Amino acid sequence: MPFLRTFPTRAADAAGPSPSTYGLLLLSVAAAMCVQSLTDVWLHTSVVQWLAPLSMLAGAVYFNTRPISRRRFGAGLALLAVLIIQLPTTSALAYGVQAFGLPLRDDWFIGIDRAFGFDWLTFQTSMVERRALMEILSRAYETFFPQLGLTPVLLAALGEVRRSDRFVASFILCVTMTTIISAVLPAEGAAGLLGPDEAHLLFQGATPLVDLHALRDGTMRALPLNEVGPLISFPSLHCAVAYLVTAAIWPLQRLRWVVLLLNAVMTVSAVTHGAHYACDCVAGLLVAAVSFHLAGQLGPWSERMFARMRGVAVLPAVTAPTVLTS
């Protein structure tokens, strides 16, 4: 029976990241450098940690000189490299902005949750007793980075390079917005609700409170990149990525429902294993939706502008015939 299908290919899809994606990355890196300079909070990276994205970009340049199938591979490598560069940039921003020390707003978020009938401690206490379910949620929570890395490569390999680019651009927009929001509305997250007697309720993705308070009181000013933690509580970045991956994969009919189910579970796991308030999750989904929409507008606009500057006509998208293979 038919198992694999070649997906629609588009005439302008072989290049890789759009000018807007590169522009967003440069702006994000510049913002991270500015924030670190203002706050004197620095994340230290080694040369080895930059070898992977630089090697990928070099490989992308090579593969873009090859036949169309290899150019797709090159586009995927370039987009993955952009993501890898963005990750430490996001960490630098997330840690740097907490040094501004604006008032913690956990009381707001707890009040919002309770206004809608949700209490994190009560929910978490009941969930901990369901060990099999908690194990499933834990596994889903750990798919954050695999999904983030595989999505642009898979889309590019299937000829959906523009959609892959939109995913990467939307991620950069999303983490930038969540970082700004977390600076203005900082929070400990549900980890701050727990005392020593209830520490057993806490799981792997909670806010590192020691780092948060050390940044806020000025006692932490340098940290190796490999020691950073998930410092953004509101909005939830796990929920944001769950939305972005699902939205990016949605046109692929054979994958959409599996991805939707996985990311629905990952969204719940942000509460149980990421110690997020429920309103953190809702905010993460909303920020992701806005980011994905904006990225869908920015990519084509930047390509048109870049083409006009070079005096090159922009070809419309062309769909290739569908081919079924046994």
Side-chain angles (χ1 to χ4, degrees):
M1 59 182 296
F3 181 70
L4 297 175
R5 183 177 66 178
T6 58
F7 286 81
T9 58
R10 292 170 172 79
D13 266 5
S18 64
S20 62
T21 299
Y22 282 126
L24 289 170
L25 178 64
L26 290 174
L27 286 173
S28 182
V29 171
M33 296 297 292
C34 288
V35 168
Q36 288 185 113
S37 298
L38 286 170
T39 61
D40 202 30
V41 174
W42 296 92
L43 295 187
H44 297 306
T45 58
S46 65
V47 175
V48 174
Q49 289 170 317
W50 290 104
L51 284 178
L54 292 176
S55 299
M56 287 178 183
L57 288 173
V61 172
Y62 169 77
F63 284 113
N64 275 335
T65 66
R66 316 318 299 172
I68 184 67
S69 60
R70 295 189 182 182
R71 292 207 300 273
R72 288 185 205 164
F73 185 66
L77 274 179
L79 287 160
L80 183 58
V82 169
L83 267 184
I84 293 175
I85 294 170
Q86 180 60 41
L87 288 173
T89 302
T90 300
S91 297
L93 281 169
Y95 269 68
V97 297
Q98 292 306 318
F100 294 136
L102 295 179
L104 294 171
R105 298 301 184 187
D106 289 85
D107 54 338
W108 289 11
F109 304 136
I110 293 169
I112 292 170
D113 276 9
R114 288 178 178 169
F116 287 92
F118 181 84
D119 182 84
W120 187 87
L121 274 175
T122 302
F123 177 76
Q124 189 76 345
T125 302
S126 66
M127 290 296 291
V128 166
E129 299 172 358
R130 298 170 169 81
R131 295 187 178 181
L133 179 57
M134 289 296 280
E135 181 63 23
I136 294 171
L137 289 166
S138 176
R139 299 298 182 189
Y141 189 84
E142 292 170 352
T143 66
F144 176 90
F145 286 111
Q147 288 197 73
L148 189 60
L150 287 172
T151 298
V153 175
L154 175 64
L155 287 169
L158 295 173
E160 296 284 349
V161 179
R162 280 186 174 174
R163 198 159 190 88
S164 179
D165 173 71
R166 182 179 181 181
F167 170 77
V168 173
S170 62
F171 176 74
I172 298 173
L173 281 169
C174 186
V175 295
T176 302
M177 283 193 274
T178 55
T179 302
I180 293 171
I181 294 169
S182 72
V184 177
L185 299 172
E188 291 181 332
L193 298 174
L194 302 176
D197 296 337
E198 295 175 315
H200 67 286
L201 297 178
L202 198 59
F203 292 91
Q204 66 257 41
T207 302
L209 297 181
V210 173
D211 288 1
L212 178 66
H213 291 293
L215 289 165
R216 291 173 59 80
D217 63 24
T219 56
M220 177 183 284
R221 285 295 177 262
L223 187 71
L225 179 61
N226 58 0
E227 294 182 13
V228 301
L231 208 61
I232 298 175
S233 177
F234 178 88
S236 168
L237 196 53
H238 256 73
C239 294
V241 168
Y243 180 96
L244 294 178
V245 171
T246 305
I249 296 293
W250 193 254
L252 311 184
Q253 295 184 11
R254 299 189 178 212
L255 294 177
R256 65 169 57 162
W257 298 112
V258 173
V259 171
L260 177 63
L261 176 61
L262 171 61
N263 284 306
V265 178
M266 189 166 83
T267 299
V268 177
S269 76
V271 177
T272 58
H273 288 73
H276 280 288
Y277 305 118
C279 60
D280 295 350
C281 299
V282 174
L285 294 170
L286 289 174
V287 170
V290 171
S291 300
F292 196 74
H293 173 74
L294 289 177
Q297 305 298 313
L298 280 174
W301 174 81
S302 68
E303 288 180 345
R304 290 194 299 270
M305 291 295 293
F306 193 65
R308 287 172 187 165
M309 291 171 61
R310 296 170 55 199
V312 177
V314 180
L315 296 177
V318 177
T319 302
T322 299
V323 179
L324 298 179
T325 60
S326 300

